[in-house]
Amino acid sequence: MNESKAMILGASGPVLTADEIALYRSERPWGFILFARNIGEASQVADLVAAMRDAVGRPAAPVLIDQEGGRVQRIRAPLAEKYPSAAELGALYAQDREKGLRAAWLMSRLHACDLLKLGINVDCLPVLDVPVQGASNVIGDRAYGFDPVVVSEMGQAAADGLKAGGVLPVMKHIPGHGRGMADSHHELPVVNASLAELEAHDFVPFRALRNELMAMSAHIVFTAIDPEQPATTSSKVIEEVIRGRIGFDGLLMSDDTSMNALKGTIGERARRIAGGGCDIILHCNGMMEEMKAVVEEARPLGGDALRRARAVEAAFGPGGGLDEVALRQEFWSLLSLA
């Protein structure tokens, strides 16, 4: 059987088009990602996820979503409750560490419950970025706090809650987006902190969770490491920092190829992502012409990337049983204390 290609693709709407099905069948993306434009009622989402997997002939192909809580929550009522932001959980941690950690675990366990009902098996959480004062609000309340140890502990609790429910986490945005003074959706942030500062602050949560199976890169230039290329396309950042200093040997996916922090055509961006050392090219917006450009640059999974992808696939499970009503009551009672 031909190996999947090293890419994750989106779709344009709530139902696959004939062109999307044909592209997926011929080009075999490793996985897919959903956004709010893909979400309607429960049966529609489940059908969409099933159709994606059917197109690549893999019943457990990864289907990702950004379901953080707060302002980044793609699935909303009535399919999922309106969950609080990471900063709100961090405020509870500041009052009572154990309650904060329990709330982070519970919210992720409930995310997993919501997502698996729809067939979604990967959540792009936890956010392990540690903001600094004055940074862009693109992270803001998506972070658990300003202390790397708090972010590490809360991030681990969140990752563990997802895994307990049979959903795999994706750490973001490695090696750290917290110092970005610009929104990488629109422009390229440049961070001038020293390597010592980055080691003591930004890298800490990623090092603590380095044994997780997946991470998403940061579209950020770290001048102390590579003044030319953002982390996503920098072999120096990926090899020396992400694989080296941080010690992450899991599957590394890019942040979205279509974000304007990256320069050049979509094809040029995808080529640099693959050439820099990311295992997977992530393309989110579902625009057919852009996806065609990505598939031209994506290679079949092989070597370490294939080993890492297979480790992810082997880790999918059904999730343990839960009393959903009781867990929801416990979660919201904890949040009432924050």
Side-chain angles (χ1 to χ4, degrees), residues 238-266:
I238 290 171
E239 288 305 315
E240 294 183 12
V241 173
I242 294 174
R243 301 300 189 195
R245 290 174 182 272
I246 289 172
F248 175 66
D249 187 41
L251 191 78
L252 179 64
M253 65 186 73
S254 71
D255 204 345
D256 183 15
T257 310
S258 57
M259 287 165 61
N260 287 326
L262 302 182
K263 301 299 181 225
T265 67
I266 294 296

Side-chain angles (χ1 to χ4, degrees), residues 31 84 94 294:
V294 170

Side-chain angles (χ1 to χ4, degrees), residues 24-295:
Y24 299 161
R25 280 203 174 130
S26 65
E27 300 296 339
R28 310 179 315 282
W30 179 70
F32 302 94
I33 188 163
L34 302 182
F35 280 79
R37 67 179 180 274
N38 307 119
I39 307 302
E41 59 187 22
S43 60
Q44 169 269 318
V45 180
D47 287 347
L48 174 62
V49 169
M52 288 171 154
R53 291 182 170 135
D54 180 67
V56 294
R58 289 163 45 233
V63 177
L64 292 69
I65 200 163
D66 294 287
Q67 190 77 349
E68 297 175 10
R71 60 193 156 104
V72 179
Q73 182 173 327
R74 312 300 185 204
I75 297 177
R76 298 179 176 268
L79 300 188
E81 295 183 273
K82 186 180 190 307
Y83 291 104
S85 67
E88 291 172 81
L89 300 182
L92 178 59
Y93 178 105
Q95 293 177 30
D96 186 314
R97 176 177 173 271
E98 292 305 319
K99 286 177 178 170
L101 293 173
R102 178 65 176 166
W105 186 94
L106 281 168
M107 189 165 88
S108 281
R109 184 64 187 85
L110 294 171
H111 283 327
C113 180
D114 297 337
L115 296 177
L116 267 194
K117 289 174 185 174
L118 305 171
I120 300 165
N121 55 2
V122 179
D123 191 1
C124 299
L125 184 75
V127 176
L128 297 183
D129 305 310
V130 190
V132 296
Q133 295 296 341
S136 164
N137 193 45
V138 66
I139 300 300
D141 64 2
R142 298 168 65 194
Y144 295 106
F146 291 87
D147 181 334
V149 174
V150 173
V151 173
S152 301
E153 292 190 357
M154 291 290 278
Q156 188 67 69
D160 290 346
L162 288 173
K163 290 182 290 185
V167 170
L168 293 183
V170 178
M171 304 183 288
K172 54 192 187 187
H173 305 82
I174 199 167
H177 205 302
R179 288 180 194 271
M181 298 296 169
D183 182 345
S184 54
H185 293 88
H186 306 297
E187 57 185 306
L188 178 62
V190 176
V191 168
N192 294 313
S194 69
L195 189 54
E197 289 175 290
L198 296 169
E199 286 266 16
H201 187 267
D202 305 55
F203 301 167
V204 171
F206 296 101
R207 192 179 295 118
L209 275 72
R210 65 186 178 277
N211 293 324
E212 297 300 333
L213 293 175
M214 286 181 282
M216 181 184 293
S217 69
H219 291 340
I220 288 194
V221 166
F222 296 92
T223 58
I225 308 158
D226 183 345
E228 303 298 325
Q229 293 287 331
T232 298
T233 57
S234 170
S235 57
K236 195 170 173 65
V237 173
I238 290 171
E239 288 305 315
E240 294 183 12
V241 173
I242 294 174
R243 301 300 189 195
R245 290 174 182 272
I246 289 172
F248 175 66
D249 187 41
L251 191 78
L252 179 64
M253 65 186 73
S254 71
D255 204 345
D256 183 15
T257 310
S258 57
M259 287 165 61
N260 287 326
L262 302 182
K263 301 299 181 225
T265 67
I266 294 296
E268 289 166 347
R269 297 175 189 187
R271 191 177 316 134
R272 284 196 294 270
I273 289 167
C278 275
D279 297 312
I280 298 277
I281 303 166
L282 173 66
H283 183 269
C284 295
N285 66 23
M287 292 176 62
M288 181 56 65
E289 291 309 308
E290 292 193 10
M291 290 196 290
K292 287 179 178 176
V294 170
V295 303

